[in-house]
Amino acid sequence: MTTDAGSIVLGVGDADALFGEDAGAGSAEPLQIVDPHEAVVSPFDFAVTRGDGMFEATVVWDGYAVSLENHLKRLAHTAAMIDMPAPNLPAFERAVEQLVDEYADPERGPIMRILVSRGPDRATGIGAAAPDQPHVWMFLDAKAALHTDAPITMTTLSRGYTSDVAERAPWLLCGAKTLSYAVNQSAHRECARRGVDDSVFVTDDGYVLECPNATIVARYGDEFVTPDPSIGILHGTTQRELFAWARQEGKSFSYARRMPVERLREADALYMTHGGWVIPVRSLDGRDYAVDQVQADSINAAIHAGRTRADALGIGPDNA
Amino acid sequence: MTTDAGSIVLGVGDADALFGEDAGAGSAEPLQIVDPHEAVVSPFDFAVTRGDGMFEATVVWDGYAVSLENHLKRLAHTAAMIDMPAPNLPAFERAVEQLVDEYADPERGPIMRILVSRGPDRATGIGAAAPDQPHVWMFLDAKAALHTDAPITMTTLSRGYTSDVAERAPWLLCGAKTLSYAVNQSAHRECARRGVDDSVFVTDDGYVLECPNATIVARYGDEFVTPDPSIGILHGTTQRELFAWARQEGKSFSYARRMPVERLREADALYMTHGGWVIPVRSLDGRDYAVDQVQADSINAAIHAGRTRADALGIGPDNA
């Protein structure tokens, strides 16, 4: 082990446990904890050769993995969309416990990432001879670029699609959280060129989608609104925690079947939500928005304390 | 080393040599040859976390890397598009020689892949502490799924974009060969569902793009036609070898500024070109095409023998 031991905890998954049907009784622990400096990935892995796999990420606050159940449900949703085996969710929960058990750093909110590749690239000689099962790497990282709730500036960016793309071309994987994030990374570089912090993807016919690695939520008076995931975006995990907070505070929320970009710009306030953090937006496309830092702090504190957890599990477009 | 030694040759790149400005004199060899079963990639690498990097692939026939110069030029083009450092092309050529020198398998046409990641993921603790430079893995693989010139069946598939997307939204990286190929892999699964071998992506306004990992070429009489890369697709390396063959045989070729899907369907013959192979298409969207296997074999033989190499270097949309 190295000086990072306890601050960066890396686990390599046992595919039989994490993707088997009856993981649990008598089986091995789902993760093997290894030195985070160890190279544990083959260059013949589908993650490397094709960006072919899926992932989730969240803050683990004082040992509590925020929105874990919803992250794992979304992982299962992505698995179904990309024709991968279904993850064994209790085994993944146990794997998260293993990471948390090994964690020993003063940082209260390290980030956790779950990376799952389709496995060995079957088109390579090494991959064709290896067991055809997913590969899993999970880590808890106190030294990562951690989120904060400092207000951000944003721009809209075209995603190049129209709003019906998810229905008519499901092979484009809109709404799947795959490891192929080159375009999302590119969008962040475009933001840097424009001198803003982040972006909101929009369709060519003028509707709001999502951010490159976050969800956008607008507030109008006491109502919080986000685009319905059926447009071909991820269902935000932190956004659901925010909606749960709204319900607890006697405010309302809704999923907009289609949200015109102009409607987003007319909001009283905007939040970008991801990884267990609700982040105030102070400008979008050059228009300024009021920032209620007290409200943001209050929401994040509720989320991190687990106060919104149970309610968030029941929130979705069908009951908004 | 293992029983795969000589059949699967894996090299790990030296970033200083492969991305330095004056690689060569006195510097170390660009590749370190390692056991192909060795896990040499960190899970904190951008290739794994984000599919953030670039690649090229080609057949190496009897030790001759087909279209190597055009592959390396295209690698440099992708690097520029995704804001990565420029590769040192002579160093990459030397790296290919190293792979070929180590190769010892009866298979005459192993596949070579060049994988380049952006490097350590700077948003992770491990990545932030590592040198901020690209990572390179290259391999020559006799046991991979090798291409053949057996005729294939195809379907068109929407890419979800209109034909002006590359101009108006360059951050979508249309025309860059990144490691984020989840959608390309998904297109192949959609083909399997439809019972065909491969697909041609088309725009929503009805123009031909490219195949998920290949180029499409139509033949009308003695003229070969492919879409102009300016529409936001890769400039085919094997397609240029095919055009060079056509020139040598007294036939003509052209790049279509925009090629309507209907025009593609009206072709006398269709070829899918990639990785040093020209592959006859025997049906597209249920319409049958004549297959001239003698012509296909003749073209592939010329390409593999290096007969088209020099001419292919000068071919592009500007001189078609």
Side-chain angles (χ1 to χ4, degrees):
Chain A
M1 286 292 167
T2 68
T3 52
D4 289 320
S7 299
I8 304 174
V9 183
L10 173 65
V12 177
D14 178 310
D16 290 332
L18 290 167
F19 285 86
E21 283 186 9
D22 56 0
S27 71
E29 288 283 43
L31 285 189
Q32 180 191 354
I33 305 296
V34 300
D35 183 334
H37 290 91
E38 199 179 326
V40 292
V41 182
S42 166
F44 300 97
D45 192 283
F46 265 132
V48 179
T49 58
R50 301 289 187 187
D52 194 0
M54 53 192 182
F55 79 106
E56 290 290 334
T58 189
V59 68
V60 177
W61 194 266
D62 287 344
Y64 161 63
V66 173
S67 308
L68 181 59
E69 296 93 331
N70 278 333
H71 279 287
L72 294 179
K73 276 191 216 168
R74 195 166 67 182
L75 190 73
H77 179 67
T78 295
M81 285 185 75
I82 65 174
D83 303 306
M84 279 189 63
N88 182 305
L89 302 192
F92 270 91
E93 291 187 7
R94 174 60 199 140
V96 173
E97 287 175 4
Q98 286 186 264
L99 292 180
V100 172
D101 286 347
E102 294 290 326
Y103 185 72
D105 188 281
E107 168 60 49
R108 296 178 71 184
I111 200 163
M112 179 184 70
R113 278 212 245 183
I114 302 173
L115 302 165
V116 181
S117 97
R118 190 179 296 278
D121 183 339
R122 312 295 294 166
T124 70
I126 297 293
D132 185 12
Q133 55 187 17
H135 286 161
V136 180
W137 309 282
M138 292 173 56
F139 58 83
L140 191 51
D141 189 346
K143 298 188 176 177
L146 303 177
H147 301 318
T148 72
D149 58 2
I152 61 171
T153 58
M154 303 191 86
T155 182
T156 51
L157 283 183
S158 167
R159 186 60 189 83
Y161 295 134
T162 50
S163 57
D164 60 349
V165 69
E167 291 164 41
R168 64 185 167 82
W171 51 86
L172 299 178
L173 306 181
C174 297
K177 197 170 175 71
T178 76
L179 293 175
S180 284
Y181 256 43
V183 167
N184 310 59
Q185 296 289 98
S186 170
H188 282 136
R189 293 193 299 275
E190 177 67 16
C191 290
R193 274 189 285 270
R194 297 184 183 195
V196 296
D197 299 314
D198 219 311
S199 59
V200 181
F201 281 133
V202 298
T203 67
D204 285 351
D205 48 345
Y207 296 101
V208 179
L209 292 169
E210 62 194 340
C211 311
N213 61 358
T215 305
I216 190 78
V217 178
R219 181 179 64 72
Y220 307 89
D222 269 352
E223 181 179 16
F224 293 82
V225 183
T226 199
D228 189 308
S230 66
I231 198 171
I233 59 175
L234 301 180
H235 192 185
T237 51
T238 308
Q239 160 256 311
R240 278 175 275 178
E241 303 283 341
L242 168 56
F243 280 14
W245 174 88
R247 174 177 284 169
Q248 292 173 358
E249 298 290 321
K251 303 175 193 298
S252 64
F253 60 85
S254 66
Y255 290 83
R257 168 107 180 80
R258 292 289 183 268
M259 177 185 262
V261 178
E262 278 313 313
R263 176 89 177 118
L264 182 74
R265 292 203 184 102
E266 291 163 6
D268 296 323
L270 296 173
Y271 288 111
M272 187 179 85
T273 62
H274 68 152
W277 287 90
V278 171
I279 300 162
V281 177
R282 65 181 173 84
S283 81
L284 171 68
D285 291 341
R287 190 193 146 171
D288 292 333
Y289 294 84
V291 168
D292 184 343
Q293 196 71 49
V294 174
Q295 181 175 75
D297 291 346
S298 166
I299 300 169
N300 283 309
I303 292 173
H304 296 167
R307 206 188 87 193
T308 52
R309 175 184 166 275
D311 281 341
L313 288 175
I315 284 172
D318 295 336
N319 64 5
Chain B
M1 287 291 167
T2 68
T3 51
D4 289 319
S7 300
I8 304 174
V9 183
L10 173 64
V12 176
D14 178 309
D16 290 332
L18 291 167
F19 286 86
E21 285 187 6
D22 55 1
S27 71
E29 288 282 45
L31 285 189
Q32 180 191 355
I33 305 296
V34 300
D35 183 334
H37 289 91
E38 200 179 326
V40 291
V41 183
S42 165
F44 300 97
D45 192 283
F46 265 132
V48 179
T49 60
R50 301 291 185 186
D52 194 1
M54 54 192 183
F55 78 104
E56 289 291 335
T58 189
V59 69
V60 177
W61 193 265
D62 287 344
Y64 162 63
V66 173
S67 308
L68 181 60
E69 297 92 331
N70 278 334
H71 280 288
L72 294 180
K73 277 191 215 167
R74 194 166 68 181
L75 190 74
H77 178 68
T78 296
M81 285 186 76
I82 66 174
D83 304 305
M84 279 189 63
N88 182 303
L89 302 192
F92 270 91
E93 290 187 6
R94 173 61 198 140
V96 173
E97 287 175 4
Q98 286 186 265
L99 292 181
V100 172
D101 286 347
E102 295 289 326
Y103 184 73
D105 188 281
E107 169 59 48
R108 297 179 69 183
I111 199 162
M112 178 183 70
R113 278 212 246 184
I114 301 173
L115 301 165
V116 182
S117 98
R118 190 177 297 277
D121 184 338
R122 311 295 295 167
T124 69
I126 297 292
D132 185 13
Q133 54 187 15
H135 286 160
V136 180
W137 309 283
M138 293 173 56
F139 57 83
L140 191 51
D141 189 347
K143 297 188 176 178
L146 303 177
H147 301 318
T148 74
D149 58 2
I152 60 170
T153 58
M154 303 191 86
T155 182
T156 51
L157 282 182
S158 168
R159 187 60 189 80
Y161 295 134
T162 49
S163 57
D164 60 348
V165 69
E167 291 165 43
R168 64 185 167 83
W171 51 87
L172 299 178
L173 305 181
C174 297
K177 196 169 176 72
T178 77
L179 293 175
S180 284
Y181 256 44
V183 167
N184 310 58
Q185 296 289 97
S186 170
H188 282 137
R189 294 193 298 276
E190 178 66 17
C191 289
R193 274 190 284 271
R194 296 184 183 196
V196 295
D197 299 314
D198 219 310
S199 58
V200 181
F201 280 133
V202 297
T203 69
D204 285 352
D205 47 346
Y207 296 101
V208 178
L209 292 170
E210 61 194 340
C211 313
N213 60 358
T215 304
I216 190 79
V217 177
R219 180 179 65 71
Y220 307 89
D222 269 352
E223 182 180 18
F224 292 82
V225 183
T226 199
D228 189 309
S230 66
I231 198 170
I233 58 175
L234 301 180
H235 191 186
T237 51
T238 307
Q239 161 255 309
R240 277 175 273 178
E241 303 283 342
L242 168 55
F243 281 14
W245 175 88
R247 175 177 284 170
Q248 293 173 358
E249 298 289 321
K251 303 175 192 296
S252 64
F253 60 84
S254 67
Y255 289 83
R257 170 106 179 82
R258 293 290 183 265
M259 177 186 260
V261 178
E262 278 314 312
R263 175 92 177 114
L264 182 74
R265 292 202 184 103
E266 290 163 5
D268 296 323
L270 295 174
Y271 287 111
M272 187 179 87
T273 62
H274 68 152
W277 286 89
V278 171
I279 301 162
V281 178
R282 64 181 174 85
S283 80
L284 172 68
D285 292 340
R287 190 193 147 170
D288 292 332
Y289 294 84
V291 168
D292 184 343
Q293 196 70 50
V294 173
Q295 182 175 76
D297 290 347
S298 167
I299 299 169
N300 284 308
I303 293 174
H304 296 168
R307 206 188 87 193
T308 52
R309 176 184 166 275
D311 280 341
L313 288 174
I315 285 172
D318 296 335
N319 64 4

